[in-house]
Amino acid sequence: MLDVVAQNEPLIDRLIERASEVIRSGRYILGPEVEAFEREVAEHLGVDHAIGVSSGTDALLVSLMGLGIGPGDEVVTTPFSFFATAGCIARVGATPVFVDIRPDTFNIDVAQVASAITGRTRAVLPVHLFGQACDMKALWEVACQHDLPIIEDAAQAIGTTSPAGPVGKLGVYGCFSFFPSKNLGGFGDAGLVTASDEALAEKARVLRAHGSKPKYHHGVVGGNFRLDALQAALLRVKLPALDGWTAQRRKNAARYDEAFANAGLPPDLLQSPTRRFEGHIYNQYVIRSSRRDELQAHLREKGIATAIYYPVPLHRQACFQHLGYETGSLPEAERASTEVLALPIFAGLGEAQQGRIIETVVGFLGGSR
Ligand SMILES: *Cc1c(COP(=O)(O)O)cnc(C)c1O
């Protein structure tokens, strides 16, 4: 599904050199490596402020805490995402309010957001799923009408652009992840908060270190959400390669798109992902098929790894049953969870390898017509 070792291989000498420098420096937490990474990644993403944190999950947590969201508050979000999106809302004591997704992009259906807003809503938390931006222009209008801040979950969308601008710059906070399977993968857990507003950026910076400012004086309760110097130093080596990897992912996506379009299969058997906006970075290439489970089993038999993101939508998770969302309440998210299948798309995927995946997918589904 993803060969992280192969991707790091061309950079291995530099990575080891930088790791030993950090080990010899004796500065392992925050410090100059983290500050340098924050400057470089802010410039790369076109954002004003970047704050390195311990994971993408903690980026979400810090953002929610930075806005003072807590018990009694509601946050409108998508039911079709990695668990952390809604998990963090619950962890600060607030209630996730789920709005169904668009069937074409898997992203939150902005047209349904307004009707989910109540007097208790304190923020909207969209996810740029699989690397494609949400309709941020439309979401902005809704959020502005109700005077609500947007927190962007851009964990899968580093470098994604939308017609409204680069992701991470469109909300009051942007949340990124360097989990190894993300487009810019670290060597363990790491994440980033972005912000345009200096005061909100400073809040995140303070929350990241137990709310301490100055040291040992705590105006607010934060946590240990700090980024390691080692992660920052290694991510600095990988960052300049990111655009090249993204270009390769797009090329791989275009190859799948073309091959699947030419296969002439009915859309219920095989549907390529919709690219609604340019600027998709394809963290995942996710097809839909009514025969998803059989297709996945067949591919597994042929030695081809795939993944299901996500088999259970968030509103149907056991931990959220008390929220009262019945089966059928968010039909598009539920249908997607039974039909989606992510195919290998990583930058080092060989053309021959990909050709075999295409043949196997089309061969299996073609034979089942
Ligand atoms: C990966 C991911 C996260 C969490 O990031 P971690 O670094 O793994 O904590 C949050 N939201 C989404 C959509 C993700 O894909």
Side-chain angles (χ1 to χ4, degrees):
M1 189 62 194
L2 167 66
D3 192 341
V4 283
V5 177
Q7 186 165 74
N8 292 326
E9 196 53 44
L11 302 170
I12 202 89
D13 291 340
R14 187 72 188 132
L15 289 166
I16 290 170
E17 189 179 285
R18 294 296 289 116
S20 21
E21 278 173 31
V22 172
I23 291 165
R24 291 201 173 91
S25 78
R27 300 231 28 197
Y28 303 144
I29 288 171
L30 299 178
E33 286 296 342
V34 170
E35 284 161 25
F37 174 62
E38 288 174 342
R39 273 194 307 276
E40 288 161 13
V41 78
E43 188 179 351
H44 193 99
L45 296 176
V47 299
D48 299 310
H49 304 283
I51 301 105
V53 293
S54 31
S55 69
T57 302
D58 290 340
L60 289 165
L61 210 49
V62 163
S63 298
L64 290 158
M65 291 168 79
L67 292 177
I69 292 171
D73 297 337
E74 293 176 354
V75 178
V76 174
T77 193
T78 170
F80 201 58
S81 179
F82 178 61
F83 179 74
T85 308
C88 288
I89 296 170
R91 280 177 68 192
V92 298
T95 304
V97 174
F98 297 111
V99 166
D100 209 0
I101 57 167
R102 291 175 60 107
D104 57 350
T105 60
F106 306 112
N107 278 330
I108 194 166
D109 185 354
V110 177
Q112 296 185 46
V113 166
S115 58
I117 292 171
T118 73
R120 297 180 155 207
T121 310
R122 292 287 312 279
V124 184
L125 207 173
V127 179
H128 305 299
L129 201 70
F130 305 141
Q132 169 153 244
C134 294
D135 188 343
M136 289 303 287
K137 259 187 193 148
L139 191 60
W140 239 89
E141 276 170 29
V142 179
C144 283
Q145 271 163 20
H146 295 84
D147 202 17
L148 289 171
I150 298 173
I151 298 172
E152 299 177 75
D153 183 339
Q156 300 181 7
I158 189 159
T160 296
T161 55
S162 82
V167 311
K169 200 186 167 72
L170 309 170
V172 300
Y173 282 122
C175 304
F176 294 85
S177 166
F178 306 115
F179 186 79
S181 68
K182 304 295 158 80
N183 284 26
L184 181 60
F187 298 78
D189 282 308
L192 190 81
V193 175
T194 58
S196 301
D197 182 77
E198 167 59 36
L200 285 177
E202 182 57 15
K203 256 190 192 156
R205 233 176 261 123
V206 170
L207 284 165
R208 161 176 82 169
H210 293 292
S212 166
K213 190 192 177 183
K215 209 171 182 184
Y216 302 122
H217 295 263
H218 301 263
V220 290
V221 177
N224 176 357
F225 304 125
R226 296 175 302 229
L227 178 63
D228 297 339
L230 199 54
Q231 293 299 339
L234 299 179
L235 287 166
R236 289 180 72 195
V237 175
K238 294 185 76 172
L239 181 62
L242 178 61
D243 288 348
W245 291 329
T246 300
Q248 283 177 50
R249 282 174 181 268
R250 287 181 176 147
K251 205 154 126 194
N252 294 345
R255 244 188 241 132
Y256 277 134
D257 284 347
E258 194 190 345
F260 293 155
N262 291 339
L265 290 161
D268 65 306
L269 276 185
L270 177 61
Q271 206 175 311
S272 294
T274 304
R275 195 182 60 207
R276 214 172 147 228
F277 302 125
E278 294 300 315
H280 195 327
I281 61 150
Y282 291 100
N283 177 242
Q284 300 295 345
Y285 185 92
V286 176
I287 61 166
R288 294 180 91 123
S289 175
S290 56
R291 299 194 62 205
R292 191 266 313 272
D293 291 339
E294 299 144 272
L295 174 63
Q296 185 180 38
H298 180 76
L299 291 168
R300 190 183 300 125
E301 238 168 67
K302 300 285 172 191
I304 297 167
T306 59
I308 295 172
Y309 306 118
Y310 295 91
V312 182
L314 299 174
H315 68 289
R316 294 299 303 146
Q317 294 291 346
C319 64
F320 291 139
Q321 284 325 284
H322 65 283
L323 298 177
Y325 293 91
E326 303 294 332
T327 299
S329 57
L330 300 170
E332 289 300 345
E334 290 166 39
R335 189 166 66 88
S337 69
T338 67
E339 293 182 355
V340 290
L341 189 66
L343 303 179
I345 185 81
F346 62 96
L349 181 69
E351 201 169 338
Q353 258 177 316
Q354 194 183 7
R356 206 173 74 79
I357 297 167
I358 291 166
E359 254 171 49
T360 314
V361 169
V362 172
F364 177 78
L365 294 174
S368 71
R369 255 186 298 191

